[in-house]
Amino acid sequence: MEFPRWAIPVAAALTASGVLLTACGKESVGNQKNTSAGSAQQQQPAKEPAAAPQATALEVASVTKIGKVVTDAEGRTLYRFDKDTARPPASTCLDACATTWPPVMAGQENVQVNGVDETLVGKVRRPDGKWQVTLGGWPLYRYAKDQSAGDAKGQGVGGTWYASAPDGKKAGAKAAQPPRQNPSAGGGRWAGWTTIKVRQDPTLGTIVTDGKGRTMYRFDKDRPRVSNCSGDCRAKWPIVRFNGFKKLKVEGVSRKLISFIERKDGKPGECQLLINGWPMYYFAQDQEAGDVKGQAVQNVWWAVSPQGKKITAGANGGDDGYGGY
């Protein structure tokens, strides 16, 4: 196993938390008995273990045969669980499961990151009401059998537990998973496809996005199967293109609600996605996955529920010049 950049500095962090690395690389915990006579640690009062360890930092380390993984500030590998969900984030590991796989709890302070995209870091309320750290929407856990910094004994356990990669995906799981057929002639895995998903927004609830997490909107001045956004409006509110039912990937939205119209103002054969009859658009000012800057613009543009209905949270939106009509 390779020892990452935290291999030496982590000793100081472990000491502060009551965990010491001996010269043999094994842990000696502050509230355990130390059989060495005259040990300074033996003279220290025992500390009660934290009932719910909180994350202060997410870092990145390299582990042999796995690759880059996410760790906590003490260098302990963090994991994700296939039976959880990321969209919306939800934890299904409770009771005995949570004893073996302690959740990484969220504290009041923001989690510090080093090598991890901070926009991917979030939190989710567990069934017990406590908050758990998420990465890419996936709740994070430690593994009770990992004794030392750099251990990754939880990798592949039960075929459902995997170390988390820095982007929130499974680390080192490519060989264990059958490759998904590339449906396009070139480019990325879903290049040329229309991908529809849902995600949980903290303010708006469950909203419709594309495969990259870009929010979709509907326009009050449209009618079912009719778009009234063209010219300057279309430049500010680009259409969500529909590339045919053979190149359609849908998660969280009923396929029965999916249809399309052919645009009159675009290239021949250019089609626009409809959900429950309503034309779908993006907002030009949404720059990153998760942005909802188009919500309630001029009180006519709205994020969309999985049923194709408009979500009116944030009404009385101001006129920022991006109404487009």
Side-chain angles (χ1 to χ4, degrees):
M1 178 180 293
E2 298 177 31
F3 284 93
R5 58 178 179 76
W6 42 257
I8 295 176
V10 75
L14 293 175
T15 301
S17 62
V19 181
L20 298 178
L21 289 178
T22 69
C24 297
K26 296 182 179 179
E27 282 188 0
S28 176
V29 183
N31 60 0
Q32 292 178 339
K33 293 183 179 179
N34 191 326
T35 57
S36 300
S39 166
Q41 189 176 9
Q42 187 178 24
Q43 302 172 14
Q44 297 297 323
K47 294 182 179 180
E48 292 294 331
Q54 295 181 347
T56 58
L58 298 182
E59 302 191 0
V60 177
S62 294
V63 175
T64 303
K65 296 183 180 180
I66 297 180
K68 291 185 177 181
V69 304
V70 175
T71 73
D72 61 15
E74 298 177 350
R76 294 188 60 179
T77 302
L78 302 183
Y79 300 87
R80 44 167 284 177
F81 186 31
D82 279 357
K83 293 185 179 180
D84 288 348
T85 59
R87 295 186 177 179
S91 170
T92 60
C93 181
L94 309 171
D95 302 325
C97 174
T99 300
T100 304
W101 302 90
V104 178
M105 308 309 294
Q108 294 182 351
E109 301 294 331
N110 290 334
V111 176
Q112 301 299 311
V113 297
N114 191 342
V116 176
D117 184 350
E118 64 180 2
T119 64
L120 297 177
V121 180
K123 61 182 180 179
V124 63
R125 188 185 294 274
R126 292 174 53 78
D128 61 7
K130 298 179 181 179
W131 291 92
Q132 182 174 0
V133 176
T134 63
L135 182 62
W138 290 96
L140 294 179
Y141 305 84
R142 298 178 177 90
Y143 185 41
K145 292 185 179 181
D146 284 348
Q147 297 299 311
S148 303
D151 282 354
K153 299 176 183 178
Q155 178 70 358
V157 169
T160 55
W161 290 94
Y162 294 90
S164 175
D167 59 2
K169 297 180 180 180
K170 302 177 187 178
K174 294 181 180 178
Q177 294 180 319
R180 187 181 293 175
Q181 183 180 3
N182 187 340
S184 61
R189 176 174 293 171
W190 299 109
W193 283 56
T194 300
T195 305
I196 305 169
K197 294 188 175 184
V198 298
R199 72 172 182 85
Q200 192 71 21
D201 184 90
T203 301
L204 305 181
T206 305
I207 64 175
V208 178
T209 73
D210 68 5
K212 295 181 179 180
R214 294 181 297 175
T215 303
M216 295 186 190
Y217 300 90
R218 50 175 280 184
F219 184 29
D220 277 353
K221 292 183 177 287
D222 284 350
R223 302 194 311 275
R225 303 192 61 82
V226 176
S227 170
N228 288 312
C229 179
S230 59
D232 184 56
C233 174
R234 176 169 171 171
K236 297 171 180 177
W237 299 88
I239 69 169
V240 179
R241 288 184 171 83
F242 182 81
N243 295 314
F245 284 101
K246 290 185 178 181
K247 289 190 174 183
L248 175 66
K249 177 178 172 59
V250 183
E251 294 179 6
V253 176
S254 172
R255 281 180 172 262
K256 295 179 181 180
L257 298 179
I258 307 302
S259 58
F260 65 94
I261 55 173
E262 185 172 353
R263 296 288 303 193
K264 306 292 185 181
D265 57 347
K267 298 178 181 179
E270 183 183 54
C271 296
Q272 182 174 6
L273 173 69
L274 307 180
I275 297 182
N276 200 19
W278 288 93
M280 293 291 107
Y281 306 83
Y282 299 115
F283 185 40
Q285 287 193 352
D286 283 351
Q287 298 298 313
E288 299 178 353
D291 281 352
V292 287
K293 298 176 183 177
Q295 176 65 4
V297 167
Q298 294 191 353
N299 285 332
V300 292
W301 291 96
W302 310 99
V304 180
S305 75
Q307 294 75 38
K309 297 181 179 180
K310 63 182 180 182
I311 299 173
T312 57
N316 299 317
D319 183 353
D320 61 358
Y322 267 78
Y325 58 90

